[in-house]
Amino acid sequence: MSLLKPFSKLPGLNTANILLVENEEQFQQKLADTVVLHEKNVNVNVRLARSLPLPMENEESRPRIDLVVFIIHLTSELSFQSAETSLKYLDPGYFLGKVCFLVTNARNASVPPERLVSVRKLAASLHCPLLCAEDQTTEGVTTAAHRLLAILKVAAGLVPMATGLYLSTFTRCTVPSDIDQQNFE
Amino acid sequence: MEPLDRLENLASSLETVALNGFQAPTVDNGQKDNSPAEILRIKEQMSNQCFEMAVKLQAGKSKISSCSASDAEKDLPDYANTLEEAKIIHFNKTLALHRMQVWHAISEKLKQSDPEAVAMRGMTSCSLDLCSRIKTLQQESCALQDQITDLQKQRLDLKRLTHEKMKEMDELKRKREHPEAEKYRNVLQKGQSHLEKYQKMATITQNVLRGIIIASKVNWRDDPKLRDIAMTLEDIPISD
């Protein structure tokens, strides 16, 4: 079992590494380009993957991953399942503020609401933040990139008074108890 | 106004430094200018990363095996609150410390006599003059504002008085009409009743005359005088 461990390697100077995991491999590229474009002060390296576990060949050359982002498209069930299976290959140390879930097409009417509910429950049980993003427009991609950058900088230890664990106590996803009833009160 | 512009530039640069905290913008990602600020920033980052790893090691050493997840969940908000409060207190104390350091440095500088200190003293005297001017202007504007409010109060009073006077006038007008209308109405009624009485008498006499003429079987159309009388009989409507 090749687990991805958070603290097994030394961090680079003024660098942050983010890993985008997406089954469909369509949103990753746009997001990666925008993220690199918008950050000027820090060296941001974006690594893309389809699923975990990562291939053993570049185990040595791979730097320390500061944030793992699972991109789930709500329009396909396969996306969610692939993310769930990939979770097993992550060291538990990652779930203390170094994992984030990114969901697209949450507003789409053709998406069954149970899928979003199950993603939320998964994120809440793992104490990870859940972000919603819009992948069709450039503003949506830019907004998502900015938010990911904010979380990345904290997770990489580049923000003076905050660590990933500290931030995760405030950004973790919560599931309201009567989510099945969906009352609009 | 030159010292004022310099003061403004200094204040804006201080503001940017305060707002950005440790994120001093670098020129390019590749070029690393080894200014003290940059080195300080990287040092802060490294200490933060070491802190994270130390926490992880600590957690690894002291594994509380009897602790369950739900118990930990219950305690979590309390721990987060105490942590937040501790951070806020620490940050405020650091800010206060920085403030004291800056003030100490400024006061030390002012006591010396190199050209920078002279310039600083000039700027402080300028800013003191400006402050006293601001104070006098503010007092003047306060006095003017008070005058304005007094005038507005007087205007409101006058408006109220005019309103009352208008109401009184209206009432007087109505009262004056009433007694005159009263007499007028009485006279009118009396006249109307008289008129009706005499109208009735006239119609009755006319009907009687018509009856007499018809009953006497006289040919009234040939006689001009009788014809005129008979014609006038029809003008007055028969009132019941």
Side-chain angles (χ1 to χ4, degrees):
Chain A
M1 280 274 266
S2 55
L3 288 179
L4 195 64
K5 292 198 168 63
F7 291 109
S8 55
K9 301 190 185 162
L10 286 178
L13 209 56
N14 204 27
T15 27
N17 304 307
I18 184 171
L19 174 68
L20 300 175
V21 179
E22 184 190 355
N23 195 26
E24 285 80 12
E25 288 177 331
Q26 29 171 271
F27 189 32
Q28 279 176 339
Q29 193 56 49
K30 283 194 278 185
L31 199 55
D33 295 334
T34 327
V35 161
V36 172
L37 200 62
H38 279 269
E39 184 50 55
K40 304 275 183 289
N41 303 335
V42 174
N43 287 331
V44 177
N45 299 327
V46 184
R47 302 184 81 88
L48 308 175
R50 186 131 189 242
S51 64
L52 296 173
L54 298 177
M56 293 292 290
E57 296 88 46
N58 36 0
E59 183 76 37
E60 294 303 317
S61 60
R62 192 186 307 134
R64 164 172 125 143
I65 304 282
D66 295 308
L67 183 66
V68 179
V69 182
F70 288 98
I71 301 178
I72 298 178
H73 294 280
L74 285 179
T75 40
S76 86
E77 183 71 23
L78 191 60
S79 193
F80 179 46
Q81 282 167 352
S82 147
E84 262 187 314
T85 45
S86 306
L87 281 174
K88 298 193 198 95
Y89 294 97
L90 269 184
D91 184 76
Y94 262 108
F95 293 103
L96 296 173
K98 291 185 187 269
V99 171
C100 176
F101 287 94
L102 187 71
V103 158
T104 62
N105 293 328
R107 288 190 287 196
N108 201 333
S110 60
V111 163
E114 298 83 35
R115 215 169 278 164
L116 180 61
V117 168
S118 47
V119 173
R120 280 188 85 168
K121 282 193 182 143
L122 178 68
S125 65
L126 295 169
H127 295 270
C128 298
L130 176 71
L131 299 179
C132 294
E134 211 241 281
D135 58 342
Q136 305 297 330
T137 62
T138 41
E139 294 94 42
V141 177
T142 323
T143 321
H146 278 295
R147 290 157 101 190
L148 280 181
L149 270 173
I151 300 181
L152 173 65
K153 282 199 268 199
V154 173
L158 302 175
V159 175
M161 295 280 279
T163 58
L165 183 57
Y166 182 55
L167 190 68
S168 72
T169 56
F170 299 111
T171 56
R172 47 180 281 214
C173 182
T174 51
V175 177
S177 50
D178 58 342
I179 200 169
D180 299 322
Q181 281 147 19
Q182 290 281 321
N183 303 345
F184 290 101
E185 285 168 32
Chain B
M1 279 320 221
E2 207 238 276
L4 197 64
D5 291 332
R6 292 217 321 260
L7 198 62
E8 197 182 330
N9 291 339
L10 271 175
S12 57
S13 56
L14 203 66
E15 185 191 9
T16 43
V17 166
L19 283 176
N20 293 340
F22 284 95
Q23 311 287 334
T26 52
V27 177
D28 212 341
N29 255 338
Q31 293 175 9
K32 253 202 195 104
D33 66 323
N34 295 321
S35 66
E38 187 66 23
I39 292 179
L40 264 177
R41 186 167 78 92
I42 298 201
K43 172 204 163 257
E44 274 291 328
Q45 288 176 1
M46 279 170 51
S47 67
N48 203 11
Q49 284 166 342
C50 289
F51 171 69
E52 261 195 276
M53 292 196 272
V55 163
K56 182 86 179 145
L57 285 172
Q58 188 87 1
K61 270 186 222 160
S62 58
K63 263 212 169 83
I64 309 166
S65 52
S66 58
C67 170
S68 68
S70 54
D71 287 343
E73 287 254 2
K74 273 184 251 165
D75 295 331
L76 190 63
D78 298 329
Y79 290 150
N81 282 338
T82 38
L83 199 64
E84 183 73 21
E85 281 166 28
K87 284 209 172 198
I88 289 172
I89 291 170
H90 168 72
F91 195 61
N92 287 340
K93 287 191 179 154
T94 322
L95 278 179
L97 185 69
H98 285 325
R99 264 202 301 271
M100 287 199 291
Q101 284 174 338
V102 166
W103 266 116
H104 180 74
I106 289 178
S107 57
E108 287 293 307
K109 190 75 186 178
L110 282 176
K111 284 184 207 152
Q112 296 166 7
S113 54
D114 39 324
E116 283 181 356
V118 168
M120 230 188 236
R121 270 187 288 236
M123 268 199 284
T124 45
S125 56
C126 260
S127 54
L128 277 172
D129 289 335
L130 285 171
C131 282
S132 51
R133 258 185 68 193
I134 288 172
K135 228 177 86 169
T136 45
L137 283 172
Q138 273 182 339
Q139 279 171 342
E140 279 177 35
S141 68
C142 260
L144 282 173
Q145 194 70 32
D146 290 337
Q147 281 184 358
I148 288 173
T149 40
D150 284 336
L151 283 173
Q152 279 179 336
K153 269 193 232 169
Q154 283 180 4
R155 217 179 60 169
L156 268 175
D157 282 337
L158 279 175
K159 247 196 194 171
R160 202 173 37 88
L161 282 172
T162 44
H163 255 298
E164 283 174 14
K165 291 290 179 239
M166 295 279 296
K167 269 199 274 189
E168 279 177 32
M169 268 171 40
D170 277 336
E171 283 210 25
L172 282 174
K173 261 199 221 161
R174 271 188 289 127
K175 274 197 201 133
R176 208 159 49 101
E177 271 188 33
H178 200 61
E180 289 195 5
E182 194 69 46
K183 277 188 272 172
Y184 187 57
R185 235 185 292 149
N186 286 340
V187 165
L188 196 63
Q189 267 180 347
K190 268 197 227 158
Q192 268 184 327
S193 56
H194 276 263
L195 185 65
E196 276 170 24
K197 200 169 73 180
Y198 284 116
Q199 262 182 338
K200 270 190 192 158
M201 278 165 52
T203 19
I204 288 170
T205 18
Q206 277 178 351
N207 286 339
V208 165
L209 187 56
R210 209 185 293 139
I212 292 172
I213 291 176
I214 290 172
S216 62
K217 298 189 180 141
V218 158
N219 196 358
W220 49 269
R221 276 161 66 194
D222 294 338
D223 191 12
K225 275 205 283 198
L226 207 50
R227 201 179 56 209
D228 290 334
I229 292 170
M231 288 317 225
T232 55
L233 281 180
E234 298 300 316
D235 285 340
I236 301 174
I238 303 166
S239 61
D240 298 347

